[in-house]
Amino acid sequence: MTITRFAPSPTGHLHVGNLRTALMNFLIARKVTGQFILRLDDTDRERSKTAFSDSIREDLNWLGLHWDRLERQSDRLERYLKAADQLRAMGRLYEAFETPSELELKRKKQRNMGRPPVYDRAALSLTEAEKTALRSERGNGVWRFKLDHERVTWIDGILGEVSIDTASLSDPVLIRRDGQFLYTLASVVDDIEMKITDVVRGSDHVTNTAIQCQIIRALGGSVPRFAHHSLLTGPKGEPFAKRVGANALRVLRQTGIEPMALLSLLARLGTSDPVVVYQNLTELVDEFDISRFGASATKFDEQLLFPLSGKYLQTLAFEAVAAEIKQLGVPESLAEKFWLTTRGNISTKQDLATWWLIFRDGADPEIAEEDREFVNVALEILPERPFDENTWANWTRDVKEKTDRRGRGLFMPLRKALTGQSSGPDMGAVMPLLQVIKAKAL
């Protein structure tokens, strides 16, 4: 069985970059009726917050990315202790005591000598007496994994063949001085025990993958299939990290972005395929192919989400939005007509409130000085309410005969006078919805 996971740290809210990873793992699992695990990597006791865990689950549920299992690393600390003991017994985990300043000095010397700034494994030569003395002086050390200096090669689902020479890497720290297990160890133990078959994550993890492959093999696990997607940038290629606040999923949700608009964009972003708006997750699952994604940095512009949301909303039947329209106070007799009239002129459902205020309370008329006399003449012959679907056509015909105005010079001033807008729904459909007209003949 195919088993994937999305493993966010509950140290902040999810953003679009996180979602891209979650979505790919979700789609891979759903395409073959596999399992999708939500795993909260919450071993950082200081930064992990319940509020962020709740936010992660809320965002995924909003998007319809429902998980089959929920796991928390904070519940699995005994498993990491056991794995660490196993690695120690094998001679693959050793304690090191250098301070950050000592490590930086070593790296500086190596760079000056033209060598890669790799940890020199000085701790391996310490005697037990020396270790005891250092613990007494500095407290516990960190625990490093002893890499085999070899090439680690795999066929990446996006990048193709990848080969990393681990001799060019420092032995990674798996356990901090305070005893906290770091992601590199905890993730490997979880992936082995949860039988993860496929891992999709950002290309900034490629080096981590080489390291984790060695840890997996040392612990006797099976190496999953890896795919590393490109990293997102802003629309002008700027670092995405600077835009994360604006692209937090909770912010996009608050602005009214439709979930399928966001998912549809991310399902095609980074491929050469045009973006299409899917109606549901089933369609998206059927079309998904990880091999179609490229390795180059991918630009993301949140402004694209608004027209995509609009396109999605245009396809919805009245029944899908009836409850929301009722909450606006639209009379039941007008509700369906209101939706069919306005759905082609909104980007989010929040825009419906603006249109209903215009129809219910009347818009402040926008009349250019050069059009004022023309609008006055037109309003003098405007029929009495109630209006119907023929009112606009009949009225503008009469106005044209009386004023000899035509085309845009005829229709635009009248639209602005009645709705205060220079664009919008077909005025033939708008007229029966107008409850009040503020424009008056002077």
Side-chain angles (χ1 to χ4, degrees):
M1 174 186 287
T2 296
I3 304 177
T4 66
R5 46 78 163 177
F6 173 51
S9 297
T11 56
H13 298 289
L14 292 184
H15 56 75
V16 171
N18 304 134
L19 173 58
R20 195 166 183 232
T21 299
L23 178 61
M24 290 183 178
N25 284 288
F26 174 87
L27 294 176
I28 287 173
R30 292 293 178 261
K31 199 170 182 72
V32 293
T33 321
Q35 283 191 0
F36 173 64
I37 297 173
L38 173 58
R39 192 172 75 209
L40 298 175
D41 286 6
D42 57 352
T43 57
D44 188 331
R45 293 181 291 271
E46 292 183 2
R47 298 177 60 220
S48 295
K49 305 295 182 185
T50 300
F52 293 135
S53 296
D54 294 342
S55 173
I56 288 169
R57 295 196 300 275
E58 289 169 6
D59 285 338
L60 293 179
N61 277 322
W62 167 60
L63 292 160
L65 304 186
H66 305 303
W67 52 92
D68 300 299
R69 287 166 54 190
L70 174 64
E71 299 280 356
R72 292 180 174 85
Q73 287 191 333
S74 57
D75 295 335
R76 296 175 48 78
L77 300 181
E78 290 296 324
R79 307 303 302 164
Y80 311 143
L81 279 170
K82 181 178 178 181
D85 288 342
Q86 183 179 342
L87 292 173
R88 287 190 191 97
M90 299 167 60
R92 299 299 296 273
L93 198 61
Y94 63 94
E95 195 172 11
F97 298 89
E98 290 88 353
T99 65
S101 59
E102 288 171 342
L103 290 173
E104 180 55 37
L105 182 59
K106 287 185 177 186
R107 287 191 289 265
K108 185 175 181 180
K109 287 180 178 179
Q110 288 169 322
R111 292 190 191 98
N112 290 339
M113 295 172 67
R115 296 176 182 173
V118 174
Y119 179 62
D120 60 9
R121 293 181 166 174
L124 285 173
S125 62
L126 293 173
T127 66
E128 288 303 319
E130 289 172 327
K131 292 178 185 177
T132 300
L134 285 167
R135 288 192 196 100
S136 176
E137 176 188 339
R138 302 182 178 188
N140 292 330
V142 299
W143 288 87
R144 291 181 178 268
F145 177 73
K146 185 181 178 183
L147 292 167
D148 286 330
H149 286 170
E150 62 183 15
R151 281 202 164 270
V152 176
T153 302
W154 71 92
I155 303 302
D156 195 275
I158 294 175
L159 304 178
E161 182 174 311
V162 178
S163 183
I164 303 290
D165 182 5
T166 56
S168 65
L169 305 176
S170 292
D171 290 342
V173 175
L174 302 190
I175 307 174
R176 295 196 328 187
R177 296 180 187 276
D178 61 3
Q180 179 185 325
F181 297 102
L182 296 183
Y183 164 86
T184 314
L185 175 62
S187 180
V188 164
V189 174
D190 291 345
D191 286 348
I192 292 173
E193 297 191 0
M194 296 175 191
K195 295 180 170 51
I196 302 300
T197 61
D198 294 78
V199 175
V200 183
R201 54 188 181 182
S203 56
D204 53 335
H205 283 285
V206 168
T207 299
N208 288 341
T209 295
I211 291 170
Q212 288 178 309
C213 283
Q214 285 204 7
I215 302 174
I216 289 171
R217 293 190 179 105
L219 291 172
S222 298
V223 175
R225 292 179 289 267
F226 285 97
H228 295 83
H229 61 70
S230 60
L231 300 181
L232 294 180
T233 72
K236 297 180 181 179
E238 68 272 28
F240 187 73
K242 295 181 179 180
R243 306 175 61 86
V244 160
N247 295 311
L249 300 189
R250 65 192 182 99
V251 174
L252 296 178
R253 177 159 34 126
Q254 290 164 0
T255 59
I257 294 298
E258 287 296 315
M260 284 310 304
L262 178 55
L263 296 176
S264 296
L265 178 60
L266 291 183
R268 291 292 183 91
L269 206 63
T271 74
S272 59
D273 301 324
V275 176
V276 297
V277 180
Y278 294 97
Q279 292 306 296
N280 52 61
L281 275 169
T282 300
E283 290 182 7
L284 203 158
V285 168
D286 291 341
E287 294 288 327
F288 182 72
D289 182 354
I290 192 94
S291 67
R292 299 184 71 83
F293 288 83
S296 301
T298 303
K299 294 180 180 180
F300 173 78
D301 185 352
E302 65 270 18
Q303 293 305 311
L304 294 175
L305 292 170
F306 291 94
L308 291 175
S309 277
K311 287 183 180 179
Y312 174 78
L313 291 171
Q314 287 175 31
T315 68
L316 296 184
F318 167 68
E319 291 72 21
V321 296
E324 285 140 302
I325 289 176
K326 183 177 181 179
Q327 287 183 337
L328 292 177
V330 181
E332 187 175 347
S333 60
L334 297 177
E336 185 168 8
K337 179 180 287 293
F338 171 73
W339 171 245
L340 296 177
T341 298
T342 57
R343 67 179 177 179
N345 291 269
I346 59 175
S347 295
T348 72
K349 292 175 185 174
Q350 295 175 7
D351 297 335
L352 291 171
T354 300
W355 282 113
W356 179 238
L357 285 176
I358 290 173
F359 298 158
R360 186 193 68 187
D361 299 340
D364 293 327
E366 182 181 331
I367 304 173
E369 189 60 39
E370 63 268 22
D371 294 323
R372 188 167 300 279
E373 183 177 348
F374 162 72
V375 171
N376 282 335
V377 172
L379 291 174
E380 287 175 354
I381 60 174
L382 177 66
E384 294 293 324
R385 294 186 62 254
F387 304 136
D388 61 27
E389 289 80 0
N390 299 313
T391 299
W392 175 258
N394 294 336
W395 179 46
T396 53
R397 181 199 60 212
D398 293 343
V399 172
K400 180 172 67 174
E401 290 176 356
K402 188 160 187 177
T403 65
D404 204 30
R405 282 228 189 181
R406 301 173 183 275
R408 184 178 176 83
L410 167 68
F411 299 115
M412 184 57 71
L414 298 183
R415 173 185 286 278
K416 288 183 176 181
L418 298 186
T419 71
Q421 306 293 313
S422 59
S423 62
D426 178 78
M427 288 298 294
V430 165
M431 295 298 285
L433 294 169
L434 291 176
Q435 309 295 294
V436 174
I437 295 176
K438 287 186 177 180
K440 303 292 183 182
L442 299 178

Short mmCIF file of all heavy atoms in Angstrom, two decimals, residues 251-304:
data_model
loop_
_atom_site.label_atom_id
_atom_site.label_comp_id
_atom_site.label_asym_id
_atom_site.label_seq_id
_atom_site.Cartn_x
_atom_site.Cartn_y
_atom_site.Cartn_z
N VAL A 251 -5.19 33.51 6.17
CA VAL A 251 -5.45 34.83 5.57
C VAL A 251 -6.20 34.68 4.26
O VAL A 251 -7.16 35.41 3.99
CB VAL A 251 -4.12 35.59 5.36
CG1 VAL A 251 -4.37 36.90 4.61
CG2 VAL A 251 -3.44 35.86 6.69
N LEU A 252 -5.77 33.72 3.43
CA LEU A 252 -6.46 33.49 2.16
C LEU A 252 -7.91 33.06 2.41
O LEU A 252 -8.82 33.45 1.68
CB LEU A 252 -5.73 32.42 1.35
CG LEU A 252 -4.31 32.79 0.89
CD1 LEU A 252 -3.67 31.64 0.15
CD2 LEU A 252 -4.32 34.04 0.02
N ARG A 253 -8.11 32.26 3.45
CA ARG A 253 -9.47 31.83 3.78
C ARG A 253 -10.32 33.03 4.19
O ARG A 253 -11.47 33.16 3.78
CB ARG A 253 -9.42 30.80 4.91
CG ARG A 253 -10.78 30.35 5.39
CD ARG A 253 -10.76 29.01 6.12
NE ARG A 253 -9.58 28.77 6.90
CZ ARG A 253 -9.57 28.44 8.19
NH1 ARG A 253 -10.71 28.38 8.84
NH2 ARG A 253 -8.46 28.18 8.83
N GLN A 254 -9.73 33.93 4.98
CA GLN A 254 -10.46 35.11 5.44
C GLN A 254 -10.82 36.05 4.29
O GLN A 254 -11.82 36.75 4.36
CB GLN A 254 -9.64 35.84 6.50
CG GLN A 254 -9.53 35.09 7.81
CD GLN A 254 -8.43 35.62 8.72
OE1 GLN A 254 -7.72 36.58 8.37
NE2 GLN A 254 -8.26 35.01 9.88
N THR A 255 -9.98 36.08 3.25
CA THR A 255 -10.28 36.95 2.10
C THR A 255 -11.30 36.34 1.17
O THR A 255 -11.73 36.98 0.22
CB THR A 255 -9.00 37.25 1.31
OG1 THR A 255 -8.41 36.02 0.84
CG2 THR A 255 -7.98 38.00 2.14
N GLY A 256 -11.71 35.09 1.44
CA GLY A 256 -12.77 34.48 0.65
C GLY A 256 -12.32 33.63 -0.52
O GLY A 256 -13.14 33.22 -1.34
N ILE A 257 -11.02 33.36 -0.62
CA ILE A 257 -10.53 32.51 -1.71
C ILE A 257 -11.19 31.14 -1.62
O ILE A 257 -11.28 30.53 -0.55
CB ILE A 257 -9.00 32.36 -1.64
CG1 ILE A 257 -8.32 33.71 -1.90
CG2 ILE A 257 -8.50 31.31 -2.61
CD1 ILE A 257 -8.59 34.29 -3.26
N GLU A 258 -11.66 30.63 -2.74
CA GLU A 258 -12.28 29.31 -2.77
C GLU A 258 -11.22 28.21 -2.68
O GLU A 258 -10.20 28.29 -3.38
CB GLU A 258 -13.10 29.14 -4.05
CG GLU A 258 -14.37 29.94 -4.08
CD GLU A 258 -15.35 29.50 -3.00
OE1 GLU A 258 -15.55 28.28 -2.83
OE2 GLU A 258 -15.92 30.38 -2.32
N PRO A 259 -11.44 27.20 -1.87
CA PRO A 259 -10.45 26.12 -1.74
C PRO A 259 -10.05 25.50 -3.07
O PRO A 259 -8.87 25.28 -3.33
CB PRO A 259 -11.16 25.11 -0.85
CG PRO A 259 -12.09 25.92 -0.01
CD PRO A 259 -12.57 27.01 -0.92
N MET A 260 -11.01 25.24 -3.96
CA MET A 260 -10.67 24.58 -5.22
C MET A 260 -9.87 25.49 -6.14
O MET A 260 -9.11 25.01 -6.98
CB MET A 260 -11.92 24.08 -5.94
CG MET A 260 -12.52 22.81 -5.34
SD MET A 260 -11.33 21.47 -5.06
CE MET A 260 -10.62 21.27 -6.70
N ALA A 261 -10.01 26.80 -5.99
CA ALA A 261 -9.18 27.72 -6.77
C ALA A 261 -7.72 27.60 -6.35
O ALA A 261 -6.81 27.52 -7.19
CB ALA A 261 -9.67 29.15 -6.61
N LEU A 262 -7.50 27.57 -5.04
CA LEU A 262 -6.14 27.44 -4.51
C LEU A 262 -5.54 26.09 -4.87
O LEU A 262 -4.39 26.01 -5.34
CB LEU A 262 -6.18 27.63 -3.00
CG LEU A 262 -4.86 27.50 -2.23
CD1 LEU A 262 -3.80 28.44 -2.79
CD2 LEU A 262 -5.09 27.76 -0.75
N LEU A 263 -6.29 25.03 -4.68
CA LEU A 263 -5.78 23.69 -4.99
C LEU A 263 -5.53 23.52 -6.49
O LEU A 263 -4.55 22.89 -6.89
CB LEU A 263 -6.76 22.63 -4.50
CG LEU A 263 -6.98 22.58 -2.98
CD1 LEU A 263 -8.06 21.55 -2.64
CD2 LEU A 263 -5.68 22.27 -2.26
N SER A 264 -6.39 24.07 -7.31
CA SER A 264 -6.23 23.96 -8.75
C SER A 264 -4.96 24.65 -9.22
O SER A 264 -4.23 24.13 -10.07
CB SER A 264 -7.44 24.57 -9.48
OG SER A 264 -8.62 23.85 -9.20
N LEU A 265 -4.68 25.82 -8.65
CA LEU A 265 -3.46 26.53 -9.03
C LEU A 265 -2.22 25.74 -8.61
O LEU A 265 -1.30 25.55 -9.40
CB LEU A 265 -3.46 27.92 -8.38
CG LEU A 265 -2.20 28.77 -8.65
CD1 LEU A 265 -2.02 29.01 -10.14
CD2 LEU A 265 -2.29 30.09 -7.90
N LEU A 266 -2.20 25.27 -7.37
CA LEU A 266 -1.02 24.56 -6.88
C LEU A 266 -0.82 23.22 -7.58
O LEU A 266 0.31 22.74 -7.68
CB LEU A 266 -1.11 24.36 -5.38
CG LEU A 266 -1.01 25.63 -4.54
CD1 LEU A 266 -1.04 25.30 -3.06
CD2 LEU A 266 0.26 26.42 -4.86
N ALA A 267 -1.90 22.62 -8.07
CA ALA A 267 -1.78 21.34 -8.75
C ALA A 267 -1.12 21.47 -10.12
O ALA A 267 -0.63 20.48 -10.67
CB ALA A 267 -3.16 20.70 -8.91
N ARG A 268 -1.08 22.68 -10.66
CA ARG A 268 -0.45 22.90 -11.98
C ARG A 268 0.79 23.79 -11.89
O ARG A 268 1.59 23.81 -12.83
CB ARG A 268 -1.46 23.54 -12.93
CG ARG A 268 -2.61 22.60 -13.34
CD ARG A 268 -2.11 21.46 -14.20
NE ARG A 268 -3.18 20.59 -14.66
CZ ARG A 268 -3.85 20.73 -15.80
NH1 ARG A 268 -3.59 21.77 -16.59
NH2 ARG A 268 -4.78 19.88 -16.14
N LEU A 269 0.95 24.51 -10.80
CA LEU A 269 2.07 25.44 -10.67
C LEU A 269 3.39 24.65 -10.67
O LEU A 269 3.57 23.74 -9.87
CB LEU A 269 1.93 26.21 -9.36
CG LEU A 269 2.58 27.60 -9.29
CD1 LEU A 269 1.94 28.52 -10.31
CD2 LEU A 269 2.41 28.17 -7.89
N GLY A 270 4.29 25.02 -11.58
CA GLY A 270 5.55 24.30 -11.68
C GLY A 270 5.56 23.28 -12.79
O GLY A 270 6.57 22.60 -13.02
N THR A 271 4.44 23.16 -13.51
CA THR A 271 4.38 22.30 -14.70
C THR A 271 4.22 23.21 -15.92
O THR A 271 4.02 24.41 -15.80
CB THR A 271 3.18 21.33 -14.64
OG1 THR A 271 1.97 22.05 -14.89
CG2 THR A 271 3.09 20.66 -13.27
N SER A 272 4.28 22.61 -17.09
CA SER A 272 4.04 23.37 -18.31
C SER A 272 2.56 23.35 -18.70
O SER A 272 2.18 23.91 -19.73
CB SER A 272 4.87 22.79 -19.46
OG SER A 272 4.54 21.43 -19.68
N ASP A 273 1.74 22.71 -17.90
CA ASP A 273 0.31 22.61 -18.19
C ASP A 273 -0.41 23.89 -17.81
O ASP A 273 -0.10 24.50 -16.79
CB ASP A 273 -0.30 21.43 -17.42
CG ASP A 273 0.35 20.10 -17.77
OD1 ASP A 273 0.70 19.94 -18.95
OD2 ASP A 273 0.52 19.26 -16.87
N PRO A 274 -1.40 24.28 -18.60
CA PRO A 274 -2.19 25.46 -18.23
C PRO A 274 -3.00 25.20 -16.98
O PRO A 274 -3.39 24.06 -16.69
CB PRO A 274 -3.10 25.67 -19.45
CG PRO A 274 -3.21 24.32 -20.08
CD PRO A 274 -1.88 23.65 -19.86
N VAL A 275 -3.24 26.26 -16.22
CA VAL A 275 -4.04 26.13 -15.01
C VAL A 275 -5.51 26.03 -15.39
O VAL A 275 -6.02 26.82 -16.17
CB VAL A 275 -3.82 27.34 -14.08
CG1 VAL A 275 -4.74 27.24 -12.87
CG2 VAL A 275 -2.37 27.40 -13.64
N VAL A 276 -6.16 25.01 -14.87
CA VAL A 276 -7.60 24.86 -15.05
C VAL A 276 -8.24 24.80 -13.67
O VAL A 276 -7.60 24.40 -12.70
CB VAL A 276 -7.96 23.58 -15.83
CG1 VAL A 276 -7.40 23.64 -17.24
CG2 VAL A 276 -7.45 22.33 -15.12
N VAL A 277 -9.48 25.22 -13.58
CA VAL A 277 -10.18 25.20 -12.31
C VAL A 277 -10.96 23.89 -12.20
O VAL A 277 -11.91 23.66 -12.93
CB VAL A 277 -11.13 26.40 -12.17
CG1 VAL A 277 -11.85 26.35 -10.82
CG2 VAL A 277 -10.36 27.71 -12.30
N TYR A 278 -10.51 23.04 -11.29
CA TYR A 278 -11.19 21.77 -11.06
C TYR A 278 -12.42 22.01 -10.20
O TYR A 278 -12.44 22.89 -9.34
CB TYR A 278 -10.26 20.78 -10.37
CG TYR A 278 -9.09 20.36 -11.21
CD1 TYR A 278 -7.84 20.97 -11.07
CD2 TYR A 278 -9.22 19.35 -12.16
CE1 TYR A 278 -6.76 20.58 -11.84
CE2 TYR A 278 -8.14 18.95 -12.94
CZ TYR A 278 -6.91 19.57 -12.78
OH TYR A 278 -5.86 19.18 -13.55
N GLN A 279 -13.44 21.19 -10.40
CA GLN A 279 -14.67 21.33 -9.64
C GLN A 279 -14.61 20.61 -8.30
O GLN A 279 -15.32 20.97 -7.36
CB GLN A 279 -15.85 20.80 -10.45
CG GLN A 279 -16.17 21.64 -11.66
CD GLN A 279 -16.37 23.10 -11.32
OE1 GLN A 279 -17.31 23.44 -10.59
NE2 GLN A 279 -15.51 23.96 -11.80
N ASN A 280 -13.76 19.60 -8.21
CA ASN A 280 -13.68 18.84 -6.97
C ASN A 280 -12.34 18.11 -6.90
O ASN A 280 -11.60 18.04 -7.89
CB ASN A 280 -14.84 17.84 -6.86
CG ASN A 280 -14.97 16.99 -8.11
OD1 ASN A 280 -14.05 16.24 -8.47
ND2 ASN A 280 -16.11 17.08 -8.79
N LEU A 281 -12.05 17.53 -5.76
CA LEU A 281 -10.78 16.85 -5.55
C LEU A 281 -10.67 15.58 -6.38
O LEU A 281 -9.57 15.18 -6.77
CB LEU A 281 -10.60 16.52 -4.07
CG LEU A 281 -10.03 17.64 -3.21
CD1 LEU A 281 -10.16 17.29 -1.73
CD2 LEU A 281 -8.57 17.91 -3.56
N THR A 282 -11.77 14.95 -6.67
CA THR A 282 -11.73 13.73 -7.49
C THR A 282 -11.14 14.03 -8.86
O THR A 282 -10.29 13.28 -9.36
CB THR A 282 -13.14 13.13 -7.63
OG1 THR A 282 -13.65 12.81 -6.33
CG2 THR A 282 -13.11 11.87 -8.48
N GLU A 283 -11.58 15.11 -9.48
CA GLU A 283 -11.03 15.51 -10.79
C GLU A 283 -9.54 15.78 -10.66
O GLU A 283 -8.75 15.39 -11.53
CB GLU A 283 -11.74 16.76 -11.30
CG GLU A 283 -13.16 16.55 -11.74
CD GLU A 283 -13.76 17.83 -12.28
OE1 GLU A 283 -13.01 18.83 -12.43
OE2 GLU A 283 -14.97 17.87 -12.54
N LEU A 284 -9.15 16.46 -9.61
CA LEU A 284 -7.76 16.83 -9.41
C LEU A 284 -6.89 15.58 -9.21
O LEU A 284 -5.79 15.48 -9.79
CB LEU A 284 -7.66 17.76 -8.20
CG LEU A 284 -6.46 18.69 -8.10
CD1 LEU A 284 -6.79 19.85 -7.18
CD2 LEU A 284 -5.24 17.98 -7.61
N VAL A 285 -7.38 14.63 -8.44
CA VAL A 285 -6.65 13.38 -8.21
C VAL A 285 -6.43 12.65 -9.53
O VAL A 285 -5.33 12.16 -9.83
CB VAL A 285 -7.41 12.48 -7.21
CG1 VAL A 285 -6.82 11.07 -7.19
CG2 VAL A 285 -7.36 13.08 -5.81
N ASP A 286 -7.47 12.57 -10.33
CA ASP A 286 -7.39 11.84 -11.60
C ASP A 286 -6.34 12.44 -12.53
O ASP A 286 -5.68 11.71 -13.28
CB ASP A 286 -8.75 11.83 -12.29
CG ASP A 286 -9.77 10.98 -11.56
OD1 ASP A 286 -9.35 10.14 -10.75
OD2 ASP A 286 -10.99 11.17 -11.79
N GLU A 287 -6.17 13.75 -12.50
CA GLU A 287 -5.27 14.43 -13.42
C GLU A 287 -3.84 14.54 -12.92
O GLU A 287 -2.93 14.87 -13.67
CB GLU A 287 -5.80 15.84 -13.72
CG GLU A 287 -7.12 15.89 -14.48
CD GLU A 287 -6.94 15.49 -15.93
OE1 GLU A 287 -5.87 15.77 -16.50
OE2 GLU A 287 -7.87 14.88 -16.49
N PHE A 288 -3.60 14.27 -11.65
CA PHE A 288 -2.30 14.55 -11.04
C PHE A 288 -1.22 13.58 -11.52
O PHE A 288 -1.43 12.39 -11.60
CB PHE A 288 -2.40 14.47 -9.53
CG PHE A 288 -1.10 14.79 -8.82
CD1 PHE A 288 -0.63 16.09 -8.77
CD2 PHE A 288 -0.36 13.78 -8.23
CE1 PHE A 288 0.55 16.39 -8.13
CE2 PHE A 288 0.82 14.07 -7.57
CZ PHE A 288 1.29 15.37 -7.53
N ASP A 289 -0.05 14.15 -11.85
CA ASP A 289 1.12 13.35 -12.26
C ASP A 289 2.36 14.07 -11.77
O ASP A 289 2.74 15.11 -12.30
CB ASP A 289 1.14 13.19 -13.78
CG ASP A 289 2.29 12.32 -14.27
OD1 ASP A 289 3.15 11.93 -13.45
OD2 ASP A 289 2.34 12.04 -15.48
N ILE A 290 3.03 13.51 -10.76
CA ILE A 290 4.18 14.17 -10.15
C ILE A 290 5.31 14.38 -11.13
O ILE A 290 6.09 15.34 -11.02
CB ILE A 290 4.68 13.36 -8.93
CG1 ILE A 290 5.68 14.18 -8.09
CG2 ILE A 290 5.30 12.06 -9.33
CD1 ILE A 290 5.09 14.93 -6.99
N SER A 291 5.41 13.53 -12.14
CA SER A 291 6.53 13.62 -13.08
C SER A 291 6.43 14.84 -13.98
O SER A 291 7.39 15.19 -14.67
CB SER A 291 6.60 12.35 -13.94
OG SER A 291 5.48 12.26 -14.80
N ARG A 292 5.30 15.51 -13.99
CA ARG A 292 5.12 16.68 -14.86
C ARG A 292 5.70 17.96 -14.23
O ARG A 292 5.75 19.00 -14.88
CB ARG A 292 3.64 16.88 -15.19
CG ARG A 292 3.04 15.70 -15.94
CD ARG A 292 1.60 15.96 -16.34
NE ARG A 292 1.53 16.96 -17.40
CZ ARG A 292 1.69 16.70 -18.69
NH1 ARG A 292 1.96 15.48 -19.08
NH2 ARG A 292 1.59 17.66 -19.59
N PHE A 293 6.12 17.88 -12.98
CA PHE A 293 6.66 19.07 -12.31
C PHE A 293 8.14 19.22 -12.63
O PHE A 293 8.87 18.23 -12.77
CB PHE A 293 6.45 18.97 -10.80
CG PHE A 293 5.02 19.15 -10.40
CD1 PHE A 293 4.13 18.09 -10.46
CD2 PHE A 293 4.54 20.39 -10.00
CE1 PHE A 293 2.80 18.25 -10.10
CE2 PHE A 293 3.22 20.56 -9.65
CZ PHE A 293 2.34 19.49 -9.71
N GLY A 294 8.57 20.48 -12.74
CA GLY A 294 9.97 20.77 -13.04
C GLY A 294 10.76 21.15 -11.81
O GLY A 294 10.21 21.31 -10.71
N ALA A 295 12.07 21.32 -12.01
CA ALA A 295 12.97 21.58 -10.89
C ALA A 295 13.21 23.07 -10.66
O ALA A 295 13.72 23.46 -9.61
CB ALA A 295 14.31 20.89 -11.14
N SER A 296 12.86 23.91 -11.62
CA SER A 296 13.16 25.34 -11.50
C SER A 296 12.27 26.01 -10.45
O SER A 296 11.14 25.58 -10.21
CB SER A 296 12.94 26.04 -12.85
OG SER A 296 13.76 25.46 -13.84
N ALA A 297 12.80 27.06 -9.84
CA ALA A 297 12.02 27.84 -8.87
C ALA A 297 10.71 28.29 -9.52
O ALA A 297 10.67 28.62 -10.71
CB ALA A 297 12.82 29.04 -8.40
N THR A 298 9.64 28.28 -8.74
CA THR A 298 8.30 28.50 -9.28
C THR A 298 7.71 29.77 -8.68
O THR A 298 7.66 29.93 -7.46
CB THR A 298 7.40 27.30 -8.95
OG1 THR A 298 8.01 26.12 -9.48
CG2 THR A 298 6.03 27.47 -9.54
N LYS A 299 7.25 30.66 -9.54
CA LYS A 299 6.67 31.92 -9.08
C LYS A 299 5.22 31.72 -8.67
O LYS A 299 4.45 31.04 -9.35
CB LYS A 299 6.76 32.98 -10.19
CG LYS A 299 8.19 33.38 -10.53
CD LYS A 299 8.21 34.43 -11.63
CE LYS A 299 9.65 34.82 -11.97
NZ LYS A 299 9.71 35.83 -13.05
N PHE A 300 4.88 32.33 -7.56
CA PHE A 300 3.51 32.27 -7.07
C PHE A 300 3.00 33.69 -6.84
O PHE A 300 3.64 34.48 -6.15
CB PHE A 300 3.43 31.49 -5.75
CG PHE A 300 2.07 31.52 -5.12
CD1 PHE A 300 1.05 30.72 -5.59
CD2 PHE A 300 1.80 32.39 -4.06
CE1 PHE A 300 -0.22 30.76 -5.02
CE2 PHE A 300 0.53 32.45 -3.48
CZ PHE A 300 -0.47 31.62 -3.97
N ASP A 301 1.85 33.99 -7.41
CA ASP A 301 1.23 35.30 -7.25
C ASP A 301 -0.18 35.10 -6.70
O ASP A 301 -1.05 34.55 -7.37
CB ASP A 301 1.16 36.02 -8.60
CG ASP A 301 0.64 37.45 -8.47
OD1 ASP A 301 0.20 37.83 -7.37
OD2 ASP A 301 0.66 38.18 -9.48
N GLU A 302 -0.39 35.52 -5.46
CA GLU A 302 -1.69 35.30 -4.83
C GLU A 302 -2.82 36.00 -5.55
O GLU A 302 -3.99 35.62 -5.42
CB GLU A 302 -1.68 35.74 -3.36
CG GLU A 302 -1.48 37.21 -3.11
CD GLU A 302 -0.02 37.60 -2.97
OE1 GLU A 302 0.86 36.82 -3.39
OE2 GLU A 302 0.24 38.70 -2.45
N GLN A 303 -2.48 37.04 -6.35
CA GLN A 303 -3.54 37.75 -7.08
C GLN A 303 -4.21 36.87 -8.13
O GLN A 303 -5.35 37.14 -8.53
CB GLN A 303 -2.96 39.01 -7.72
CG GLN A 303 -2.51 40.07 -6.73
CD GLN A 303 -3.62 40.46 -5.76
OE1 GLN A 303 -4.75 40.74 -6.18
NE2 GLN A 303 -3.31 40.49 -4.47
N LEU A 304 -3.51 35.83 -8.58
CA LEU A 304 -4.11 34.90 -9.54
C LEU A 304 -5.27 34.14 -8.93
O LEU A 304 -6.13 33.61 -9.66
CB LEU A 304 -3.06 33.90 -10.04
CG LEU A 304 -1.90 34.47 -10.86
CD1 LEU A 304 -0.89 33.35 -11.16
CD2 LEU A 304 -2.42 35.07 -12.15
#
